[in-house]
Amino acid sequence: MEKLLSILKSIRDDIDFENETKLIDDGILDSFDIVSIVAELCEEYDVTITVDMLEPENFNSAEAMLALVEKLLDEE
């Protein structure tokens, strides 16, 4: 989780990723943020996040993003 939080903070250091659970639903992250996050996650964890995975529930919280990455890593 620390690695993920570090990545997220490098993209948007003004957001409390540890406690926020509605990053998409509340409009805290915009489409440019998501593109940046997806690119960083793919590079850092060597996973592929496809368009069909770009659902709000996968990006509403740091926990959801970590769950997505872990699921992708388990599939390899």
Side-chain angles (χ1 to χ4, degrees):
M1 179 61 93
E2 290 304 315
K3 183 178 184 180
L4 174 63
L5 289 173
S6 176
I7 292 167
L8 296 173
K9 285 288 184 188
S10 74
I11 295 168
R12 288 286 305 271
D13 68 351
D14 59 321
I15 297 173
D16 180 7
F17 286 103
E18 292 183 68
N19 297 306
E20 193 60 60
T21 59
K22 294 185 178 183
L23 294 167
I24 304 299
D25 292 345
D26 286 351
I28 297 169
L29 293 177
D30 62 24
S31 58
F32 294 109
D33 296 325
I34 296 301
V35 168
S36 298
I37 289 169
V38 167
E40 288 293 323
L41 295 179
C42 289
E43 183 177 321
E44 189 65 37
Y45 292 98
D46 194 29
V47 295
T48 300
I49 298 174
T50 60
V51 173
D52 61 315
M53 296 174 192
L54 298 178
E55 298 288 328
E57 60 265 17
N58 288 332
F59 294 92
N60 258 329
S61 67
E63 289 82 15
M65 292 181 228
L66 184 61
L68 175 62
V69 168
E70 289 174 343
K71 178 181 157 212
L72 292 169
L73 289 172
D74 287 345
E75 291 175 358
E76 291 184 346

